[in-house]
Amino acid sequence: MSTAVSDEPTPTPEPTVRTALRSPRMLRTEVLAGLVVALALIPEAISFSIIAGVDPRVGLFASFTMAVSIAVLGGRPAMVSAATGAIALVIAPVVREHGMDYLIATVILGGLLQVVLGLAGVARLMRFIPRSVMVGFVNALAILIFLAQVPHLVDVPLAVYPMVAVGIAVIVALPRVTRVVPAPLVAIVALTGFAVLAALDVPTVGDEGALPHSLPSLVVPHVPLTTDTLLVIGPYALAMALVGLLESLLTAKLVDDITDTHSHKTREAWGQGASNVITGLFGGMGGCAMIGQTMINVKASGARTRISTFLAGVFLLVLVVGLGDVVAVIPMAALVAVMVMVSVGTFDWHSIRPATLRRMPRSETLVMVATVVVVVATHNLAIGVAVGVVVAMVMFARRVAHFTRTHRELVEATDGSVTARYTVTGELFFASSNDLYTQFDYAGDPERVVIDLTHSHIWDASTVASLDAITTKYERKGKTVEIVGLNDSSAERHDRLTGSLTPH
């Protein structure tokens, strides 16, 4: 009895919660990573609350409930979900035009749609996102993370700039000496201590908005359960569901690559939905995976399990509710330094090296650039990725269309009759079949024409329509056409559609 051996590389075994709890070193890494992420989440959540037009508590509580919920329900360990700018942009019009109750209803409905889409297998669509789009997505995220820090570096006291520089230096240099404590946490603590002892007048976390002093509570949105309400919140809920799933699944794929492990994308999809439903019921603004905080957790801090994500949510709540006065004095310069280094570490520098660009097909580079430009211009990852996929599809169709070849030869039978035999090689679909019509010598061919499709495949109705047009044009000149060599699938499609695609 033989045993089949797979040539595919086996992914690295994924560390589990149980493994981390049994290892003091790993557990310390997870705990400290969660603390660093929580500190970085506070100003981000407050900023996104401002974008959405809601109280800072709404964003902070959303980040807490999303992080804790997805740590249990999600399919990608160590990935951080919280309130995000993309979701804030989607739901902002709801708050502005209809109020907070409609926002909560939108978040709950958006979460339910994500659950349905997740169970329906939407995660499998990730296979249709090309690598060049993924590279563009990563690079655009890095640029957006950096641009988000720029407002904290404009019109600020001069002391901010050396503080940011020192923070970056600590984050770069400390890992070369020791990795016992995450470098971002050391930078935050050191700069906070220095700012307090020196009594520096620099922007702090407290300046970003008021921190809550009470725990979140269950909220039921007071909206009428009518068709009109559904028509109001439905489009925003669907947009939120799609944007959230796209960002989360792309981020999960990125973490898979970084950690060399597999994640459960379907579970992640419905887990995001369930977390948003929970978040909505606690009055949160909804959210999805956060690339910046995930990179802090996975890359900068070395976390690998659900413990870090769960503790990020717990620490966030403890910090803003129980230690709000302490958190409020953290200088923004410290967090800016952390996020700048996250941006640098996220960007795929190899993708823009001259040597890489020379080797890479121009179409691949165009797809990457299109994705980056659209994402940065719109600040919407979903639109950018959609444009990148469309450009990739067009480039692929254009490239494959040129692979179709037509060879003509005249075959003389024993009775002296001559047949024009056309051998078509390549895949026939809308892009290639449109050119097929021009490859025949309608006037010069003899009375009998044979089209051999042994080395081709009919993929769509456009090809059948082109073959019908070719046959019709020959018949008008009193010539007969025979199509041979069709495989079973092509024959079934041709027999079903031929003669029914054009009006008689």
Side-chain angles (χ1 to χ4, degrees), residues 8 26 47 103 106 130 155 183 227 233 240 318 324 336 416 429 495:
E8 295 185 3
M26 186 179 294
S47 299
L103 165 66
T106 300
D155 294 329
T227 305
I233 68 176
M240 171 189 160
V318 171
V336 168
F429 63 109
D495 293 343

Side-chain angles (χ1 to χ4, degrees), residues 132-489:
S132 51
V133 174
M134 190 67 190
V135 172
F137 166 80
V138 171
N139 289 347
L141 281 171
I143 294 172
L144 288 181
I145 292 171
F146 180 81
L147 292 178
Q149 312 313 310
V150 173
H152 301 296
L153 297 172
V154 178
D155 294 329
V156 294
L158 289 177
V160 168
Y161 302 110
M163 290 180 69
V164 172
V166 170
I168 291 175
V170 169
I171 295 171
V172 172
L174 186 62
R176 300 176 183 178
V177 178
T178 179
R179 292 183 178 271
V180 173
V181 181
L185 180 58
V186 174
I188 292 172
V189 172
L191 290 176
T192 301
F194 174 74
V196 172
L197 293 175
L200 294 179
D201 183 16
V202 293
T204 63
V205 170
D207 296 332
E208 297 295 302
L211 299 177
H213 296 287
S214 61
L215 296 174
S217 57
L218 283 171
V219 176
V220 177
H222 297 289
V223 296
L225 300 178
T226 62
T227 305
D228 290 339
T229 300
L230 186 61
L231 291 175
V232 169
I233 68 176
Y236 296 106
L238 180 60
M240 171 189 160
L242 295 177
V243 169
L245 284 179
L246 183 60
E247 286 203 36
S248 299
L249 293 175
L250 284 174
T251 304
K253 188 173 186 299
L254 179 61
V255 177
D256 289 352
D257 294 339
I258 293 172
T259 61
D260 193 26
T261 58
H262 288 328
S263 59
H264 304 286
K265 302 298 191 301
T266 297
R267 177 176 172 179
E268 182 61 38
W270 65 255
Q272 288 286 333
S275 298
N276 270 310
V277 171
I278 293 170
T279 298
L281 291 174
F282 279 94
M285 58 182 275
C288 62
M290 297 191 74
I291 181 68
Q293 276 63 28
T294 299
M295 290 300 99
I296 292 175
N297 199 40
V298 175
K299 243 184 171 180
S301 303
R304 291 293 182 271
T305 75
R306 300 174 187 275
I307 295 175
S308 58
T309 307
F310 182 84
L311 289 179
V314 173
F315 283 143
L316 173 65
L317 188 64
V318 171
L319 288 171
V320 299
V321 175
L323 300 174
D325 294 338
V326 176
V327 172
V329 301
I330 295 176
M332 286 303 300
L335 299 177
V336 168
V338 172
M339 297 309 293
V340 166
M341 290 310 301
V342 167
S343 172
V344 172
T346 302
F347 197 91
D348 186 353
W349 297 100
H350 179 266
S351 66
I352 60 171
R353 289 178 181 171
T356 303
L357 295 175
R358 283 195 298 268
R359 287 194 302 268
M360 194 69 64
R362 290 183 179 179
S363 58
E364 299 285 318
T365 302
L366 177 62
V367 170
M368 180 189 73
V369 171
T371 304
V372 172
V373 169
V374 174
V375 170
V376 173
T378 63
H379 283 231
N380 190 313
L381 295 166
I383 295 176
V385 170
V387 169
V389 170
V390 170
V391 173
M393 290 170 59
V394 172
M395 293 294 102
F396 175 76
R398 182 174 177 271
R399 190 163 60 248
V400 173
H402 294 315
F403 291 157
T404 303
R405 298 287 183 269
T406 303
H407 174 69
R408 175 181 181 267
E409 63 177 338
L410 297 176
V411 180
E412 186 174 352
T414 54
D415 61 359
S417 63
V418 179
T419 299
R421 187 179 187 87
Y422 287 87
T423 302
V424 181
T425 304
E427 305 300 315
L428 296 175
F429 63 109
F430 62 89
S432 58
S433 60
N434 287 333
D435 293 335
L436 186 65
Y437 182 81
T438 64
Q439 304 300 310
F440 295 84
D441 186 1
Y442 300 99
D445 280 340
E447 293 185 357
R448 185 170 184 269
V449 177
V450 174
I451 302 176
D452 185 0
L453 299 180
T454 302
H455 303 293
S456 298
H457 185 94
I458 296 176
W459 286 104
D460 59 8
S462 296
T463 302
V464 177
S466 293
L467 292 172
D468 285 353
I470 292 167
T471 302
T472 301
K473 188 164 184 175
Y474 273 119
E475 288 176 347
R476 287 174 181 168
K477 295 182 178 296
K479 303 174 183 181
T480 60
V481 177
E482 181 184 3
I483 298 176
V484 300
L486 292 171
N487 58 39
D488 292 342
S489 175

Side-chain angles (χ1 to χ4, degrees), residues 45-46 49-50 52-60 95 100 210-212 285:
I46 295 173
S49 299
I50 295 170
V54 297
D55 189 275
R57 292 182 303 169
V58 177
L60 289 167
V95 183
M100 191 64 194
L211 299 177
M285 58 182 275

Side-chain angles (χ1 to χ4, degrees), residues 25-36:
R25 181 185 59 82
M26 186 179 294
L27 182 59
R28 182 183 65 245
T29 299
E30 298 293 316
V31 172
L32 293 178
L35 179 57
V36 175

